[in-house]
Amino acid sequence: MQAAAGTSDTDSKWKFAQCFGDKGESDNITEADIISAVEFDHTGNYLATGDKGGRVVLFERNESKKGCEYRFHTEFQSHEPEFDYLKSLEIEEKINKIKWCKRTNAAHFLLSTNDKTIKLWKVFERNLKIVHETNLGENYGPLTAPVAKPFKPTKQLTLPKLVVHDTIIAAVPRRIYANAHAYHINSISVNSDGETYISADDLRINLWNLDISDQSFNIVDIKPANMEELTEVITAAEFHPLQCNLFMYSSSKGTIKMADMRESALCDQRAKVFEAPEDPNSRSFFSEIISSISDVKFSRDGRYILSRDYLTLKLWDINMENKPVTTINIHDHLRNKLCDLYENDCIFDKFECTFSGDGSHMMTGSYSNNLHIYNRDTLAEVNLQADKSAFKAKRLGSAKNKLALGGGGNRNGMTRAGRRDDADAVDFNKKILHASWHPNENSIAVAATNNLFIFTE
């Protein structure tokens, strides 16, 4: 497939395959089937998805099969719907985040969370064994010997033998980390030390030891004494990839704070603050909403930070706090429609962002099932579309529909379905919120409603 591009990446070739989901044209998609989390493991050989029904589905690399690179590995129910009777609050089973732990043996370990409870899952192969030989065959006489005639087997007794009948993939919860968050959990991040992780909700960030489920340490608390004075909430948090004492978190005010756990027990006071200066001429009723950061990511070397708000993607250097290195306008063509987007709640959509494995490219999603990839240095853009209609167009092979496949983009690097100069052509019901980049290759896993797409360069 020829990928549409903004500048010099027009020669980038990407192929794609649908690995999971409804391949038909039916629109009868249940809410529980919508994918809400996507995450590659540290090797890239395994891929996990979570959905709004509380299920986690794992895929494994399939080297032998052409087309789809990953095949189904296993599936398990991670969370169930609950009800908090003290607060009269229903707790959804939706999986908010999935994070893999680095492997130390043959088993996989991964963290999954809904709004309130985090679970550590162990996924491993289990052999099912059956009894192959017994002493109960017809040559061994009756089971109970008569009193007059003692039981005498016709041949020597043998011990029963167990043989492997089948191998299954089992998933068991090793730890359940509950009752530590009063507000909805939006982030979990495993530390580079492999022993601890953080979990963040709207007002607090907790530090956990993976082996201790009944105790956590509160390292950030922005809850005011009077809740009427609340001006911002925490939106995302992540550990530094190399230095286990550093982490960052973003806020609804558009700021990113990087803190050092060695400086104090509470890390919200003395921290580096990354904040872009606001243009007073563009301030409006929606300014605070669109400046809220929905996701932050470190580059693998820890030098750069990528942040996403509603309209823009920003690249930060951790040594320069006063302004971002680069600001990319993703939804600039929607500025005149903010009132409509507020009415239909689209303005509150939370798009994720991520770096490529080598940190040379950045990725984020958009509407009309569009996915944007940018070269970090040249800002050359590749636009891909993850849509069932794109598969249909590929099968039909019509020239008209090749545009939707990314086969021909306009000078802005956008397909017709999501052209930046035509906000009316945008399909707001189709959106790419969740995606993950392979740690070692140019392969991308993209969640589009209930479908999982793999794009490979």
Side-chain angles (χ1 to χ4, degrees):
M1 183 187 75
Q2 180 84 18
T7 54
S8 61
D9 275 6
T10 51
D11 294 328
S12 296
K13 292 184 179 295
W14 291 78
K15 61 179 180 178
F16 68 96
Q18 181 180 10
C19 282
F20 178 70
D22 178 19
K23 295 184 181 180
E25 298 301 318
S26 173
D27 293 326
N28 298 324
I29 301 172
T30 63
E31 185 78 8
D33 292 331
I34 296 177
I35 298 175
S36 55
V38 180
E39 191 77 16
F40 278 106
D41 76 336
H42 297 85
T43 65
N45 293 328
Y46 290 87
L47 174 64
T49 65
D51 61 29
K52 291 188 175 182
R55 295 180 299 267
V56 172
V57 182
L58 303 186
F59 300 88
E60 63 177 340
R61 191 71 176 262
N62 185 8
E63 298 288 355
S64 61
K65 186 178 178 183
K66 293 182 179 180
C68 181
E69 287 193 12
Y70 291 81
R71 63 188 174 193
F72 176 81
H73 185 57
T74 189
E75 175 184 352
F76 57 91
Q77 188 71 31
S78 177
H79 287 73
E80 301 281 357
E82 301 175 36
F83 192 82
D84 188 337
Y85 290 95
L86 292 177
K87 298 181 179 179
S88 296
L89 184 67
E90 185 177 353
I91 302 171
E92 293 182 349
E93 65 271 33
K94 173 193 170 189
I95 304 297
N96 291 340
K97 293 290 180 181
I98 295 175
K99 294 294 178 183
W100 294 82
C101 302
K102 289 188 177 179
R103 294 181 71 175
T104 56
N105 52 36
H108 299 278
F109 289 89
L110 59 146
L111 291 166
S112 64
T113 182
N114 65 350
D115 286 340
K116 298 294 182 183
T117 305
I118 306 162
K119 295 183 180 181
L120 175 65
W121 288 90
K122 178 182 179 182
V123 182
F124 59 100
E125 291 188 354
R126 173 183 288 173
N127 293 328
L128 294 180
K129 296 182 178 181
I130 61 171
V131 177
H132 180 58
E133 293 184 10
T134 69
N135 294 311
L136 303 180
E138 57 182 9
N139 294 329
Y140 293 98
L143 295 177
T144 57
V147 177
K149 293 182 179 181
F151 170 64
K152 292 182 180 180
T154 57
K155 65 178 183 178
Q156 187 178 0
L157 287 171
T158 58
L159 292 174
K161 291 183 179 179
L162 293 175
V163 295
V164 176
H165 173 64
D166 195 9
T167 301
I168 63 170
I169 308 297
V172 294
R174 291 298 303 272
R175 301 276 189 278
I176 297 178
Y177 313 88
N179 305 318
H181 287 279
Y183 305 95
H184 291 176
I185 300 171
N186 55 51
S187 299
I188 49 176
S189 179
V190 182
N191 201 347
S192 59
D193 62 12
E195 298 178 359
T196 57
Y197 75 93
I198 54 174
S199 59
D201 64 24
D202 292 342
L203 298 179
R204 291 189 175 98
I205 299 177
N206 292 332
L207 175 68
W208 301 83
N209 187 300
L210 283 165
D211 294 327
I212 303 173
S213 60
D214 58 353
Q215 185 182 42
S216 65
F217 298 93
N218 181 219
I219 56 174
V220 172
D221 188 350
I222 65 170
K223 183 179 180 179
N226 183 0
M227 285 295 284
E228 293 182 357
E229 299 174 359
L230 181 67
T231 58
E232 64 178 332
V233 295
I234 298 168
T235 57
E238 185 176 74
F239 263 120
H240 192 280
L242 302 176
Q243 301 183 46
C244 60
N245 53 291
L246 296 178
F247 70 97
M248 67 173 172
Y249 62 97
S250 59
S251 81
S252 58
K253 274 192 169 182
T255 62
I256 303 169
K257 294 184 179 181
M258 189 168 71
D260 190 338
M261 291 189 294
R262 297 174 300 183
E263 291 191 347
S264 63
L266 272 177
C267 305
D268 49 349
Q269 299 299 323
R270 301 174 62 184
K272 271 189 171 184
V273 180
F274 300 86
E275 186 173 11
E278 183 184 14
D279 182 5
N281 296 325
S282 63
R283 179 150 186 88
S284 68
F285 169 78
F286 305 105
S287 293
E288 287 192 12
I289 301 175
I290 61 176
S291 66
S292 176
I293 296 175
S294 57
D295 194 23
V296 286
K297 290 288 194 307
F298 276 111
S299 59
R300 183 182 282 189
D301 60 4
R303 172 68 187 274
Y304 295 99
I305 295 172
L306 190 63
S307 69
R308 174 68 202 267
D309 55 44
Y310 187 70
L311 296 181
T312 66
L313 184 70
K314 293 184 174 70
L315 176 69
W316 303 82
D317 188 319
I318 63 170
N319 299 317
M320 188 170 69
E321 303 171 53
N322 59 337
K323 64 177 181 178
V325 176
T326 302
T327 299
I328 301 171
N329 293 315
I330 305 293
H331 290 157
D332 207 42
H333 58 299
L334 300 179
R335 284 189 182 274
N336 296 329
K337 296 178 69 71
L338 292 179
C339 188
D340 296 335
L341 294 168
Y342 180 80
E343 292 293 331
N344 62 19
D345 286 341
C346 282
I347 200 171
F348 301 106
D349 286 336
K350 298 183 183 303
F351 293 93
E352 294 180 2
C353 61
T354 187
F355 280 102
S356 60
D358 59 4
S360 63
H361 287 78
M362 310 171 292
M363 172 180 68
T364 191
S366 181
Y367 293 108
S368 300
N369 280 354
N370 281 312
L371 186 74
H372 306 294
I373 303 170
Y374 299 93
N375 185 296
R376 193 188 71 194
D377 299 322
T378 66
L379 300 186
E381 177 188 354
V382 172
N383 180 63
L384 305 173
Q385 189 177 26
D387 201 324
K388 286 187 292 185
S389 61
F391 286 98
K392 184 179 179 182
K394 185 179 182 182
R395 289 195 302 268
L396 294 175
S398 64
K400 176 183 178 182
N401 288 321
K402 282 181 180 177
L403 204 59
L405 291 169
N410 61 17
R411 61 187 299 270
N412 291 322
M414 298 291 291
T415 60
R416 183 174 179 82
R419 204 166 55 218
R420 289 204 176 127
D421 56 354
D422 189 1
D424 294 329
V426 177
D427 187 346
F428 294 104
N429 293 318
K430 295 180 177 180
K431 60 194 81 171
I432 301 298
L433 301 177
H434 314 287
S436 181
W437 200 303
H438 191 288
N440 305 315
E441 302 173 6
N442 280 343
S443 294
I444 301 167
V446 183
T449 56
N450 67 322
N451 298 289
L452 176 69
F453 296 87
I454 305 294
F455 288 85
T456 303
E457 189 178 25

